[in-house]
Structures are given as C-alpha cells and as structure tokens.
Amino acid sequence: MNVSLFITCLADAVYPSSVGRSTVELLERLGCNVSFPKKQTCCGQPAFNSGFHKEAQTVARHMITTFEEEEWVVTPSGSCATMIHEYPKLFAEDDVWREKAEKLAAKTFELTQFIVDVLEIEDVGATFHGSVTYHSSCHMTRLLGVTEAPYRLLKHVSGLTLTELPYKEHCCGFGGTFSVKMMPISEQMVDEKVQHIEETGAACLVGSDLGCLMNIGGRIERTGKPVEVRHIAEILNSREETVS
C-alpha cells in the first residue's frame, strides 16, 4: 500500500525526530510504502479558524494539487486531518475544486484511524512499560469522528496500563489562536486538564494532536508535574521503553 505522509507544521518544525520518525517507521513496519511530497505546506487551518477563508482557499488549492495523485494520505494529527475534510466546504460554490477537495478528503486519514479502519490492524506489536492516560482532542473526536481507534491500539500495547482520563471530552484550552486571544481562560482550562491527568496517577500522557500535547505539556513543565507527554505514534512505535 502506497501512503503519502502529510507531516503537518508542528510535527515538521517541532517534533520531526520523535513524531515524524515514529510515524514513518510505524507505517513501514505495517507494510506501507511511505512517500513524502516536498511541496506540502500548512493545511490552512489557522487562517480558516480565524475567518480568513479566501486565504485558506489558496492554501487548500496548493495542498489538493500536491496530494492529488497520491493513493492514501496519512497524518499524525486529528485536527489537520479534519481541516482536509473541511476543504469541500471551502469550495461549496466551485464545482471543479469542490470535487477535487472531496477526492482528497476521501483518501486522507488520521494515523490511528488509518491503521484501524483501513489496514484493519489493532495490535501493532508495540511494547511500552508504564501507566498511561489518553487525551481525546476536540477536532479529532467531535469533527473527524475518530473516538475508538486510539484506545483499541493502546489496549494492545504490551506492558501498557491504560487509565481513562476524567472528563476526557473537555477541551484542553489550546484551540489554536484561542490560547493566544483568550489566554486567561485557556490557562484555566489547561490547569483543569492537568489536574485530571494527575488524578489518574499515570506516568505518561498520550494524545494524537500535537497542538494539544504542546499546550498541555508546556503547562505540565511550567508547573513541575512529573508526567511525560508523548504522541501516540511514539508509543505504537516503541519496543521496550519504560516510564515510571
């Protein structure tokens, strides 16, 4: 199976050696041929969420053209996968580009969604010794509709103890530009999220959206909490790692 990696801005600029590498190695181990179109850019989500839809259309056209000939498109980000699925709405009044956008959306998947729903694999052969809790991001669950795939994969990781996060459906306060424009509210939201993470007693927080993990992880670091933060690709690509 030929898979084209949509790496996303945060994975490419901030977490390439951990998340980017883990994603590629994981997909290759599961039998995929992974390619990386070098012309890919931001998906346009920041502009779209801020109301700059014409500017988002420009980015969307570029991304559609970049991935037009690819068989499958996989990304380690629920929110960025969601943005690709929003492309048809951007071109509601343009039949040609709407059709192109629909074709891209139909073959674009978040990483865990692709592994479970397309590859039909739930046990990727990972080993990770430690207690873990999982943060469900808003875009991935409420808009993309991916709720069970991450849990199915984590439950098959050897040595991993998964504890459900209280109020897991609550936003962490990131929301892209929201965390900048509404900083006092965002801070209170992430503090509440960190409190719930502590209540689980887990040594490691896992998620599928780097924006959320960057936000929560930053707050954990600033407040000195003894919790590691990992993207799910790192856990699923692990062989004998231990956290305590």
Side-chain angles (χ1 to χ4, degrees):
M1 185 173 288
N2 297 314
V3 172
S4 182
L5 176 65
F6 167 33
I7 190 59
T8 79
C9 300
L10 285 179
D12 183 45
V14 185
Y15 303 98
S17 62
S18 55
V19 179
R21 185 177 214 169
S22 293
T23 299
V24 172
E25 290 178 351
L26 176 62
L27 289 171
E28 289 181 339
R29 198 172 69 249
L30 296 178
C32 299
N33 298 314
V34 183
S35 63
F36 182 82
K38 294 183 179 180
K39 291 184 179 181
Q40 63 181 281
T41 60
C42 173
C43 62
Q45 184 180 167
F48 179 78
N49 289 346
S50 298
F52 296 99
H53 288 189
K54 288 186 178 180
E55 290 79 359
Q57 282 181 335
T58 300
V59 179
R61 288 190 184 95
H62 174 77
M63 287 290 284
I64 291 169
T65 301
T66 299
F67 288 98
E68 194 167 20
E69 301 301 323
E70 304 299 330
E71 183 178 352
W72 299 95
V73 180
V74 176
T75 178
S77 168
S79 63
C80 294
T82 297
M83 184 61 218
I84 299 295
H85 284 254
E86 294 287 330
Y87 281 1
K89 296 179 184 178
L90 272 176
F91 300 105
E93 299 179 1
D94 187 327
D95 291 343
V96 174
W97 280 101
R98 187 183 66 250
E99 183 178 349
K100 290 175 178 286
E102 288 171 348
K103 289 180 179 179
L104 176 58
K107 64 183 181 181
T108 299
F109 292 81
E110 179 274 331
L111 177 63
T112 65
Q113 178 190 29
F114 181 75
I115 294 173
V116 173
D117 295 345
V118 179
L119 297 182
E120 298 183 343
I121 296 172
E122 294 190 7
D123 187 345
V124 298
T127 298
F128 186 88
H129 299 285
S131 55
V132 164
T133 192
Y134 179 81
H135 166 66
S136 303
S137 61
C138 299
H139 275 80
M140 184 162 159
T141 56
R142 298 173 189 175
L143 298 180
L144 193 61
V146 179
T147 58
E148 296 300 321
Y151 291 99
R152 292 184 184 180
L153 291 167
L154 289 174
K155 288 177 180 178
H156 284 89
V157 175
S158 178
L160 184 147
T161 301
L162 180 63
T163 302
E164 186 165 306
L165 183 63
Y167 304 100
K168 63 182 181 181
E169 71 279 2
H170 286 193
C171 177
C172 72
F174 178 61
T177 57
F178 173 83
S179 61
V180 178
K181 294 179 179 179
M182 304 290 184
M183 187 169 59
I185 299 174
S186 174
E187 184 179 287
Q188 291 180 49
M189 293 172 72
V190 73
D191 278 342
E192 184 180 75
K193 179 64 68 173
V194 171
Q195 177 186 335
H196 296 321
I197 293 168
E198 283 190 289
E199 290 172 2
T200 68
C204 181
L205 171 70
V206 178
S208 301
D209 265 305
L210 285 172
C212 298
L213 294 179
M214 184 173 65
N215 184 48
I216 301 170
R219 195 60 178 165
I220 286 174
E221 182 177 354
R222 286 192 295 274
T223 54
K225 307 297 183 183
V227 180
E228 289 194 26
V229 178
R230 301 289 187 89
H231 188 278
I232 194 167
E234 298 176 84
I235 304 299
L236 299 178
N237 192 49
S238 175
R239 280 298 169 263
E240 288 293 340
E241 194 166 351
T242 301
V243 295
S244 58

